[in-house]
Amino acid sequence: MFGYVTVCEPELKVKDLKKYRAYYCGLCRTLKEDYGFMGQMTLTYDMTFAVILLSSLYENIAAHEEHRCKVHPVKRQHMLRNEITSYAAAMNVLLAYYHMEDDWQDDRKVSSLMTKSLIQGKAKKIIEKYPRQSEVIQQSLRELGECEREKSMDIDRAAGCFGRLMAELFVWKEDIWEKTLRKMGFYLGKFIYLMDAYEDLPEDRKKNRYNPLKELAKRPDYEAQMEQILRMMIAESTVRFEQLPCLVDVDILRNILYDGVWNHYNKIQMKKSEEKNDDKKSI
């Protein structure tokens, strides 16, 4: 469900793209050092965004480092890290742990049980350190699981579960920015969930999997409705973002929120357009 909150590379300055990649590589490095290979596998663009957002808001300067890695063994990679990077890494692992736990409880997936067991020790330490976030993540995923079991077509309910999860992740500190960050994270989380459901709908129909958009998709104005809903969610999120005093890396953050989040949507539209053209040619 992650991977939608990333940059739009063609619209980003070269220096900003390099800096974004340095934050991403810094998070990857921290995951490997703190949680090993399995922790590194949980790396997401979405939590990279959280690192940049919170670092900008709290003016937490990231230290510059250069390291080689297995992906880029020849040339040293630029990396940016601070204490927020460590927080984001912990949240990455915690999300993966609870996701694996849900998969095991609901579907008895052996692969999920094995993966969960590999990070269980690390996850328990994270739970002890971040009980607030841990409780909300667990509760939100549990309620989302209930939506799936009930085959609920209540779109707001299902998306709201993931919205509350993201809202909690954005609150690094409970302070004057907490309320604004929660609102921003809540609507961004709903956007992520709905975009994922929109992208997965054709495959979910084929495999008879749960998707809260199945009923809405029967309407002739489905595409227009989905675009409107998605734009409403991201608009609510960006309104809150603009209320935050973010100055450092603001061009990167705006690129992600106003352009990058639409990368997948634009690809879906291009694919649908190509399929329509192919159908016309075959007639």
Side-chain angles (χ1 to χ4, degrees):
M1 201 176 293
F2 287 94
Y4 295 98
V5 187
T6 186
V7 292
C8 178
E9 292 193 16
E11 299 297 325
L12 199 60
K13 294 177 182 177
V14 174
K15 68 178 180 67
D16 287 332
L17 182 57
K18 286 181 178 179
K19 195 169 186 181
Y20 173 79
R21 287 173 175 167
Y23 276 113
Y24 181 79
C25 290
L27 179 57
C28 181
R29 182 81 180 187
T30 300
L31 281 164
K32 186 173 185 288
E33 288 180 355
D34 293 353
Y35 305 104
F37 174 73
M38 290 308 302
Q40 194 176 21
M41 293 298 290
T42 70
L43 177 66
T44 64
Y45 290 115
D46 309 72
M47 291 311 295
T48 303
F49 171 76
V51 173
I52 301 170
L53 172 68
L54 295 172
S55 296
S56 178
L57 176 61
Y58 290 103
E59 299 179 353
N60 198 312
I61 299 171
H64 177 265
E65 304 171 15
E66 290 185 17
H67 299 281
R68 287 189 177 90
C69 64
K70 287 184 179 179
V71 180
H72 306 97
V74 178
K75 187 178 179 182
R76 287 178 176 270
Q77 298 301 303
H78 296 284
M79 299 180 186
L80 290 170
R81 298 198 284 178
N82 55 25
E83 59 182 321
I84 295 170
T85 311
S86 298
Y87 168 74
M91 293 302 102
N92 259 133
V93 172
L94 196 59
L95 282 165
Y97 174 74
Y98 281 129
H99 178 66
M100 293 301 109
E101 188 176 72
D102 279 358
D103 278 351
W104 169 245
Q105 293 296 333
D106 294 344
D107 304 319
R108 284 296 187 261
K109 288 184 180 178
V110 177
S111 59
S112 296
L113 179 63
M114 291 175 66
T115 306
K116 176 196 166 189
S117 65
L118 290 172
I119 61 173
Q120 191 165 15
K122 301 282 188 181
K124 285 185 176 180
K125 290 180 180 179
I126 297 172
I127 292 167
E128 291 174 5
K129 188 174 181 179
Y130 300 104
R132 169 175 56 82
Q133 291 90 334
S134 174
E135 184 178 347
V136 173
I137 291 170
Q138 193 173 20
Q139 184 180 346
S140 299
L141 291 177
R142 189 184 300 121
E143 187 177 346
L144 193 55
E146 289 173 4
C147 289
E148 293 177 5
R149 285 189 291 274
E150 296 169 11
K151 300 188 185 300
S152 172
M153 292 297 112
D154 187 336
I155 297 171
D156 195 55
R157 179 192 171 194
C161 295
F162 202 75
R164 286 188 291 278
L165 183 152
M166 285 297 292
E168 205 63 38
L169 295 184
F170 273 28
V171 180
W172 180 46
K173 295 180 179 180
E174 294 177 283
D175 56 15
I176 59 171
W177 305 119
E178 176 186 355
K179 185 177 180 181
T180 306
L181 282 168
R182 279 190 192 281
K183 284 288 185 181
M184 180 187 172
F186 176 72
Y187 287 108
L188 185 60
K190 290 182 77 172
F191 174 89
I192 292 169
Y193 181 86
L194 292 168
M195 185 67 83
D196 184 69
Y198 177 68
E199 184 173 20
D200 289 349
L201 183 61
E203 191 71 15
D204 289 341
R205 277 172 163 168
K206 287 180 185 177
K207 297 185 178 180
N208 196 30
R209 294 187 301 217
Y210 171 73
N211 191 307
L213 301 180
K214 283 183 178 179
E215 288 300 317
L216 181 65
K218 294 177 182 178
R219 294 176 50 168
D221 62 343
Y222 166 64
E223 291 294 339
Q225 284 288 317
M226 275 309 302
E227 183 178 359
Q228 183 180 4
I229 292 169
L230 288 168
R231 290 195 181 280
M232 284 173 60
M233 294 303 103
I234 206 65
E236 291 287 354
S237 184
T238 53
V239 164
R240 273 69 184 194
F241 166 72
E242 296 297 348
Q243 293 171 355
L244 299 169
C246 294
L247 297 175
V248 179
D249 299 322
V250 70
D251 288 342
I252 300 175
L253 295 168
R254 285 189 175 130
N255 172 280
I256 294 170
L257 289 170
Y258 292 101
D259 293 307
V261 293
W262 295 102
N263 285 339
H264 280 262
Y265 182 83
N266 293 332
K267 287 178 183 177
I268 294 168
Q269 299 313 310
M270 285 179 64
K271 184 180 178 182
K272 287 184 177 181
S273 179
E274 289 171 1
E275 288 173 350
K276 282 183 180 179
N277 290 333
D278 290 341
D279 290 341
K280 287 179 181 178
K281 289 177 183 179
S282 62
I283 294 174

